[in-house]
Each structure stands twice: as structure tokens, then as C-alpha cells.
Amino acid sequence: MSNLSRSLKESWTLVEEQQDKLANYFYARMFLDDPQLRDLFPIQMDVQRSRLLGAIVTAVQTVDDPDRFGEYLESLGRDHRKFHVQPAHYDIVGRALLEALRTFAGDQWTLEFDQAWRDAYAVIAARMISGADADSANPPYWHAEVVHHERRSRDIAVMTVRPMQPLEYRAGQYLSIECRNQPRLWRVYSVANAPREDGSLDFHVRAVGAGWVSSALVRRVQVGDMIRLGAPMGSMTLDRGSTRDVVCVAGGTGLAPVKALIEEMARANRTRWVHLFFGAKDRDDLYDLACLNRLAADHPWLTVVTATTDDPDFPGEHGNVSEIVARHGPWRDHDFFVSGSPPMVRATLRALAETQVPAIRIKYDVFGDS
């Protein structure tokens, strides 16, 4: 661990238990410095605050991994173009962040910590600006028309949109969506199909609790409506050079990126066996099972195993999908893709570690409206 990384992580522990207050103070200082910045952010700031903290923690945790660190920040810079962020805004953000850290760390804050955060933020800002500049040939966001919308269960919808301009992405990636019902409020969703000639994109959306965007996308959006899409992000993509067989583990609407990956393999795969484990609470939440069964019937290399936790009469496996995939092993010579809610992903990663699956062969996405 480098001295910079050590200082960042040590200083973060001084404020970690006051994350919410720190985020509130940070945004207050930033908007006080430049009131016009407030117009770039949604009216409801609760999720935005948590995302700030998530970005800080991710940056701090990856500072010793230059490739991952740079890739993450450059993609973040591309994505922030949708907020019309300019290079000058990064100086304001940096001043507000340092002031917030100093305030909540109190007397324990040192000159060493201050310099570490200055140095780290300079790198963060430079990489994000570089990522934004490199993407200048693309629009900051894409307008897209909803061309299909289907309710699949009590709280899940599958919708298809067609961007007005070409949008290039890879199967397994995600992007952010804004709808007219909740302006300036963006939420992240994975694309549920491999790239198509007509450019259309499928999304699987579950309406959750206080999910402003998810509820609108499931219950209010209609065919013909326009939405906006952010830049594609994420690295849960196929290693096209690998010859290993594949295991996909999906929970709920975490099926979306996994289905896109399977579609990509269906276009060229002749040698890799693919095992898909799809888990949900009950059969109603196995909302795309008919399509998965058709894919398995068309492609002998694909096996689909379904499981429910709260549906005793379901004619499939019963229990948490993380436990079921472990039972079907061993899987030490496979590539893994895991996608679902945070608890589901954590449980699956633990199960795979216990069965000695190398971490380097596991790619995963965590889903949740917040």
C-alpha cells in the first residue's frame, strides 16, 4: 500500500461515521460557492448524496490500482457530461470536499492528510476531465423513444427504447436513465440485449419503495414517450479471448446484463458451455423465464436453472441462488458473471470464495434503485 493510499484510508476513518452529515455539508458549501450549480442536480438530493460517498470510497479503494482507478474515473467523467459539468466546476468541488473533510475530522486532521487529499483529488479531476474530453464526439446524453412497454409482474416492466442517435455499448454494460416525470433525476440500469442493427435497447425495471425513477418507468411511462440516456459504463463484459465455460448468476432484474451476455455468445459461441442460475422470491419474479427457455431450446450449450425462496409449489429449485450455484459445482475452471441486489451479490461472492473460485474470474454488478 502506498503512502498516499494509506493516508487517504486513514483519514477517511475519521469521518466515516458522519458520512451523511459530511455529504450535506459538502453540497451546501458547493452551492454557496456557485449557486448556479444547484440547477445541475435533482430536486431530491438523498440518492445524490449517497452516490457522492460511493464515488469517494471507490476512488480511495482503487487508488493503488492505476488501471482500474483510471478506467473508473474516465467513465465517470464521460457520464458526468450529462450534467453539463465544465472543467472549472472541478475546482469548486475540490474546495468543498476538502472543507467538508477538515470540518468533520476536526483536530485529528493533519497537514499530511490535507496534502494527500489534494494530490488524490487533482488526479481524480484530471482523469475525469480527460474522460469527458475523449468522449466529445458523442452527445452528453441520448434522446430515446419508448417503442415497447410491457408489465411482466406486479412491479416489473420490460421496455424497449430506440435512441435518436447511434449509441455504442458492449453487452453487460449499464447506463443511466432520466424520464420526463422526474427531471434531472438519473438512475442506472443495465441494457438487457446485445447490440442490434436497429440500435434498440431493452431494459428490465423493478419499481421499488421510494424509487422515484423506477416507479415512473414501470407505472407511468408509455409507448411514444421520450427519455434520456447517459453514457455506457461498466466492465462486466465478455473476455473474448477466454475459452473457459461460463456460469451466470442472476437475481431478479439483475438478469438484464446476463441476458445481454448470453445473446452476445449466441451469435458466435460454438465451444463454451453456459450455465445460468436465475433466482427470485417467487415464480412471478421469474419474469423472463419463457424467453430464457426459448434461448436454451435454441442453443444446446445453454443450461437454465431457476430457483425461488418463497414459492414452495414452484417446480424448480428452492433456496437462495447463491447456495444452489455452489451445490452444482465445482466451478474452479469457469468464468463467472454475477448480477443482482447487494445482499444477493455478497452471498454469491462468499459462496464462490468458499468453493475456491479465483476472484480474478468473477465479474459482478450490484443492483438497487438507490
Side-chain angles (χ1 to χ4, degrees):
M1 184 185 297
S2 68
N3 289 336
L4 174 61
S5 177
R6 186 179 297 106
S7 293
L8 291 173
K9 292 177 181 178
E10 184 179 340
S11 58
W12 182 250
T13 63
L14 303 179
V15 300
E16 195 168 14
E17 294 184 0
Q18 304 179 79
Q19 292 186 34
D20 290 340
K21 291 180 180 178
L22 183 144
N24 286 333
Y25 186 92
F26 162 78
Y27 279 107
R29 290 296 308 177
M30 188 169 68
F31 297 151
L32 190 61
D33 261 7
D34 188 345
Q36 292 183 345
L37 285 178
R38 184 64 183 88
D39 293 336
L40 304 183
F41 293 88
I43 296 172
Q44 299 93 358
M45 287 289 293
D46 52 339
V47 174
Q48 188 64 36
R49 284 191 290 269
S50 68
R51 289 190 170 173
L52 161 75
L53 298 170
I56 291 173
V57 171
T58 300
V60 168
Q61 290 176 340
T62 58
V63 72
D64 275 341
D65 185 346
D67 292 336
R68 182 181 166 208
F69 186 58
E71 180 183 357
Y72 170 74
L73 292 173
E74 287 177 5
S75 66
L76 203 60
R78 288 193 296 272
D79 182 63
H80 273 58
R81 293 182 65 224
K82 69 176 183 272
F83 296 119
H84 302 289
V85 173
Q86 301 299 317
H89 293 150
Y90 286 92
D91 291 337
I92 298 170
V93 171
R95 288 196 300 269
L97 176 60
L98 275 167
E99 181 62 28
L101 290 166
R102 292 182 194 125
T103 298
F104 285 90
D107 294 339
Q108 298 181 77
W109 191 255
T110 67
L111 290 175
E112 180 187 358
F113 293 157
D114 205 86
Q115 190 61 53
W117 280 92
R118 285 177 183 275
D119 292 345
Y121 184 76
V123 174
I124 289 170
R127 295 303 292 262
M128 288 183 68
I129 292 171
S130 173
D133 289 344
D135 198 48
S136 58
N138 287 317
Y141 48 76
W142 285 257
H143 294 279
E145 179 185 2
V146 178
V147 296
H148 177 77
H149 190 281
E150 179 186 357
R151 289 286 290 272
R152 291 284 182 87
S153 75
R154 54 188 174 269
D155 56 5
I156 295 175
V158 172
M159 69 175 188
T160 303
V161 307
R162 184 170 291 121
M164 299 295 100
Q165 295 174 266
L167 193 166
E168 294 184 3
Y169 71 98
R170 285 195 61 186
Q173 288 191 302
Y174 57 87
L175 44 77
S176 52
I177 296 179
E178 179 209 51
C179 59
R180 61 182 176 82
N181 308 90
Q182 296 293 336
R184 305 203 309 273
L185 198 58
W186 298 78
R187 292 294 180 269
V188 169
Y189 295 95
S190 280
V191 184
N193 61 283
R196 297 170 177 152
E197 289 187 5
D198 69 357
S200 62
L201 311 173
D202 294 342
F203 294 99
H204 299 176
V205 185
R206 180 193 296 277
V208 297
W212 298 89
V213 176
S214 66
S215 294
L217 292 175
V218 171
R219 301 189 175 104
R220 299 172 67 184
V221 164
Q222 300 177 358
V223 171
D225 285 352
M226 299 297 294
I227 63 174
R228 295 200 293 186
L229 308 175
M233 299 176 65
S235 57
M236 200 180 87
T237 54
L238 281 176
D239 176 0
R240 291 167 178 164
S242 174
T243 58
R244 287 183 290 271
D245 293 337
V246 175
V247 179
C248 299
V249 189
T253 51
L255 174 67
V258 164
K259 186 179 179 184
L261 292 168
I262 291 172
E263 281 192 10
E264 181 177 330
M265 284 185 281
R267 295 174 180 177
N269 180 48
R270 296 292 183 273
T271 60
R272 303 175 75 180
W273 293 92
V274 180
H275 308 268
L276 168 60
F277 293 84
F278 182 27
K281 181 178 179 181
D282 54 38
R283 70 189 74 191
D284 196 39
D285 279 353
L286 297 172
Y287 61 92
D288 210 29
L289 186 54
C291 182
L292 295 177
N293 286 336
R294 286 195 297 271
L295 279 170
D298 292 339
H299 303 289
W301 44 261
L302 174 63
T303 301
V304 178
V305 177
T306 53
T308 60
T309 56
D310 299 335
D311 193 341
D313 297 325
F314 176 67
E317 302 257 7
H318 297 270
N320 292 322
V321 69
S322 58
E323 300 168 355
I324 290 164
V325 70
R327 288 205 302 267
H328 280 255
W331 305 112
R332 286 190 293 274
D333 297 321
H334 292 68
D335 289 336
F336 268 83
F337 297 91
V338 183
S339 179
S341 67
M344 174 265 173
V345 170
R346 285 195 296 268
T348 303
L349 295 180
R350 281 196 300 270
L352 297 182
E354 290 169 0
T355 55
Q356 299 181 335
V357 175
I360 197 172
R361 292 185 188 162
I362 305 171
K363 295 184 177 182
Y364 60 92
D365 258 338
V366 178
F367 280 79
D369 194 54
S370 58

